[in-house]
Amino acid sequence: MANTKSVPKEPKVELDFNNVMADILKSDQGLTIKEINKLKPEMTEAHKDLMQRRKNEELPFYDLPFQTQELKSIRRLADDIRKRTENFVVLGIGGSALGTRALFKALSPHNHNLLESSKRRFPRLFVVDNIDPETLTTLLNFVDPRHTFFNIVTKSGTTTETISQFMIVHDRLRRSLGRSSVRDHVIVTTDSKQGFMRELVNQEDYHALEVPEGVGGRFSVLSPVSLLPLAVTGINVVELLKGAVVASKACTHANMMRNPAYLFAALNFALRQWRKRSILVMMPYADALMDFAEWFNQLWAESLGKQYGIDGKEVLAGQTPVKALGATDQHSQLQLYMEGPEDKVVVFVGQKFYRVDTRIPSIFKENEGLAYLGGYTLGELIQTEQAATARALTMAGRPNMTLTIPRITPASMGYLMYLLEVAAVASGYLYKIDPFDQPGVELSKKFTYGLMGRPGFESFKEQFNRGNRPKKKYII
Ligand code: PA5
């Protein structure tokens, strides 16, 4: 049953922060306007610096929505690939995978991959980000290599997980189709100059796309990293970028109180620093947005979780992002959010209109336990549950806020993701940390290199083994 109400043309995202305010929460767990205003001078300075760095082309993620020329060639390439393939497999991890998966889940028809090819106008998409041997092995046994295209996505071109997957895929393709056919089934998205994958691209003459210089993984969703796979699977990438263009206007407003990205950053920073809200629960009320919450988790965790500030002092910054799903997790995690430790802020993501809806029939009229539901749509029920949960949290003095999109469309997703990217960067200024690096992930990588025998990392193997002794002491 189609939703017939009219949907706003502009993909504006509304940020409702009533329920983090002390006067609404009726609790000292809430914030006062005076406190929020304290962050204005810092945010104004941050804004000036951001705009200057953008002008100096130091923050290219800001301008990804405006890349119309690149978009044309990506769409042409996607049209060509689409005609030749049944399966499009992305091999990548972290920022090279999560945005693509989030948008595919949000914007492709439900169960797209399960539809027979006659009912599906576009190839299936698989995003294989993990090196769990069961996942890749099962997928490679399932897809026919003749009708499968592999997109190896790695900005650095050095990521162990992605490279190992590629080596397996390369070998499979070579064995089943012959070495000369490998390049007809492979496209690499990587840095334009550096990395092992770029070396291979040059050596083997693979088709390749560039991850724009200076755009890190978790800020790359609006770049060729995600645009190609999404365009291949029929998602309207033009509208996606248009939505981000609209967001870019709102998110470059100098006044924090009129800029949803700055305000989102400021509220969460204030709750974290002054109300000990160290956990941010991202809770969309839509199955289609489950993977969006996972994309957000990476953006928030990797950008803001930092031990040291830019001045070298210890800050232990960040909020732990947690993914929850409405209404499902009302029956799982909500009890904890209502009554457990006072360390969370819940961010609901709602929509004004669901893309399709179904009415609950007016039957069993004599049974009052069932009859009250008759005549409402499921959309009305889930929206009511979202409002009820927000109200309940508020009455319990638990801060929560709501991001509302008109409905799930490419444009509104472009808007929402752009907004949150700017929010992550703006938060970096408030915490005084670098949101673009991730020094904390290096040591485990180095241990892996050492243990797997990569030349130059022998000392890490030794260090690992030393630290791992005595091995059996605390294992039962
Ligand atoms: O956001 C990031 O920078 C990381 O999560 C990377 O995307 C991830 O580590 C994968 O890196 P790469 O694209 O270089 O393979």
Side-chain angles (χ1 to χ4, degrees):
M1 200 185 305
N3 198 326
T4 50
K5 292 182 220 168
S6 69
V7 181
K9 289 265 181 307
E10 283 281 277
K12 184 176 176 313
V13 176
E14 201 177 87
L15 168 61
D16 179 341
F17 62 105
N18 272 293
N19 299 345
V20 304
M21 301 306 292
D23 54 332
I24 307 278
L25 273 180
K26 300 203 174 31
S27 151
D28 58 8
Q29 290 302 308
L31 300 169
T32 62
I33 278 289
K34 208 170 152 194
E35 283 177 304
I36 296 172
N37 281 342
K38 276 193 208 153
L39 293 173
K40 268 187 174 170
E42 266 175 82
M43 200 53 105
T44 306
E45 279 310 301
H47 173 74
K48 279 190 207 145
D49 196 55
L50 281 170
M51 292 306 105
Q52 188 55 49
R53 287 171 71 192
R54 182 180 181 183
K55 215 167 150 192
N56 299 348
E57 299 182 4
E58 289 167 32
L59 297 174
F61 90 91
Y62 260 119
D63 293 303
L64 291 175
F66 301 93
Q67 40 167 356
T68 35
Q69 259 332 95
E70 290 88 334
L71 189 61
K72 269 192 199 145
S73 54
I74 288 173
R75 289 175 68 212
R76 264 200 306 275
L77 179 64
D79 283 345
D80 178 51
I81 294 174
R82 197 187 294 142
K83 284 183 208 131
R84 298 193 278 131
T85 198
E86 181 67 9
N87 308 300
F88 193 84
V89 181
V90 172
L91 305 178
I93 197 164
S96 291
L98 292 167
T100 306
R101 183 184 282 150
L103 287 170
F104 177 67
K105 171 92 177 157
L107 300 170
S108 63
H110 280 271
N111 303 326
H112 170 93
N113 280 1
L114 299 180
L115 298 173
E116 290 167 30
S117 52
S118 57
K119 298 208 173 117
R120 189 172 27 82
R121 287 172 48 221
F122 303 101
R124 298 188 192 100
L125 178 73
F126 300 95
V127 180
V128 187
D129 57 348
N130 206 354
I131 40 170
D132 178 337
E134 294 182 15
T135 310
L136 188 61
T137 313
T138 314
L139 180 71
L140 293 181
N141 289 339
F142 171 70
V143 297
D144 180 343
R146 289 171 304 164
H147 306 301
T148 304
F149 220 93
F150 293 90
N151 185 194
I152 298 89
V153 187
T154 168
K155 157 99 179 151
S156 61
T158 59
T159 303
T160 310
E161 293 86 349
T162 309
I163 288 178
S164 58
Q165 290 171 331
F166 168 67
M167 289 163 79
I168 294 167
V169 162
H170 183 280
D171 193 54
R172 285 282 179 111
L173 288 171
R174 187 178 57 81
R175 282 169 194 272
S176 50
L177 307 175
R179 191 180 169 96
S180 60
S181 298
V182 173
R183 66 178 295 282
D184 297 334
H185 294 263
V186 161
I187 182 156
V188 181
T189 308
T190 191
D191 188 81
S192 63
K193 296 184 196 83
Q194 290 168 12
F196 303 127
M197 284 313 295
R198 181 50 66 181
E199 270 175 40
L200 270 187
V201 165
N202 297 338
Q203 205 176 297
E204 305 282 325
D205 196 25
Y206 291 141
H207 300 282
L209 289 175
E210 291 175 10
V211 183
E213 215 182 314
V215 175
R218 54 192 178 274
F219 295 91
S220 69
V221 65
L222 303 174
S223 82
V225 165
S226 296
L227 294 179
L228 178 70
L230 295 172
V232 168
T233 47
I235 285 161
N236 191 334
V237 288
V238 176
E239 284 298 308
L240 178 75
L241 294 194
K242 273 191 195 163
V245 168
V246 181
S248 79
K249 288 185 196 125
C251 297
T252 46
H253 205 295
N255 181 347
M256 178 180 102
M257 299 311 284
R258 287 162 161 244
N259 180 323
Y262 293 172
L263 189 56
F264 187 83
L267 294 171
N268 279 293
F269 175 81
L271 287 164
R272 164 74 175 83
Q273 302 300 88
W274 303 330
R275 296 293 182 279
K276 296 195 170 66
R277 298 282 157 174
S278 59
I279 297 174
L280 187 160
V281 179
M282 180 54 79
M283 190 166 185
Y285 271 67
D287 292 340
L289 296 183
M290 260 316 261
D291 292 347
F292 153 78
E294 207 160 314
W295 168 86
F296 172 80
N297 281 3
Q298 188 220 7
L299 178 74
W300 216 242
E302 212 167 23
S303 304
L304 305 180
K306 302 288 154 77
Q307 185 172 1
Y308 298 105
I310 40 177
D311 59 3
K313 292 205 184 107
E314 189 164 77
V315 284
L316 302 178
Q319 276 177 311
T320 304
V322 168
K323 172 171 97 169
L325 177 68
T328 307
D329 284 319
Q330 290 178 202
H331 300 265
S332 159
Q333 300 179 34
L334 182 61
Q335 171 61 32
L336 175 76
Y337 303 162
M338 284 288 291
E339 297 186 359
E342 295 186 309
D343 55 2
K344 296 168 205 67
V345 49
V346 178
V347 178
F348 296 105
V349 182
Q351 47 189 313
K352 290 194 173 140
F353 304 95
Y354 284 76
R355 290 170 288 189
V356 290
D357 207 348
T358 299
R359 199 168 291 284
I360 306 165
S362 296
I363 53 177
F364 302 121
K365 288 196 171 140
E366 63 297 341
N367 184 329
E368 62 179 33
L370 274 64
Y372 73 98
L373 292 169
Y376 289 114
T377 68
L378 278 186
E380 286 163 340
L381 177 58
I382 195 169
Q383 282 170 331
T384 304
E385 292 204 14
Q386 183 192 323
T389 306
R391 183 78 193 113
L393 282 167
T394 306
M395 281 182 69
R398 309 277 166 148
N400 61 92
M401 59 182 103
T402 302
L403 291 163
T404 305
I405 57 176
R407 71 174 176 180
I408 299 174
T409 61
S412 64
M413 291 308 295
Y415 192 119
L416 181 63
M417 290 169 112
Y418 190 93
L419 183 163
L420 292 170
E421 285 181 352
V422 178
V425 175
S427 304
Y429 276 83
L430 296 174
Y431 286 112
K432 300 190 174 30
I433 52 101
D434 180 356
F436 297 108
D437 68 1
Q438 52 280 329
V441 304
E442 291 308 314
L443 186 58
S444 73
K445 278 191 200 169
K446 286 175 180 157
F447 281 146
T448 304
Y449 293 153
L451 292 167
M452 298 298 280
R454 183 171 165 187
F457 291 86
E458 296 77 5
S459 65
F460 288 96
K461 181 177 177 178
E462 279 161 33
Q463 204 184 326
F464 176 90
N465 286 335
R466 252 200 326 274
N468 241 20
R469 259 181 254 130
K471 285 189 176 134
K472 297 212 173 106
K473 204 171 165 195
Y474 298 114
I475 302 176
I476 60 163

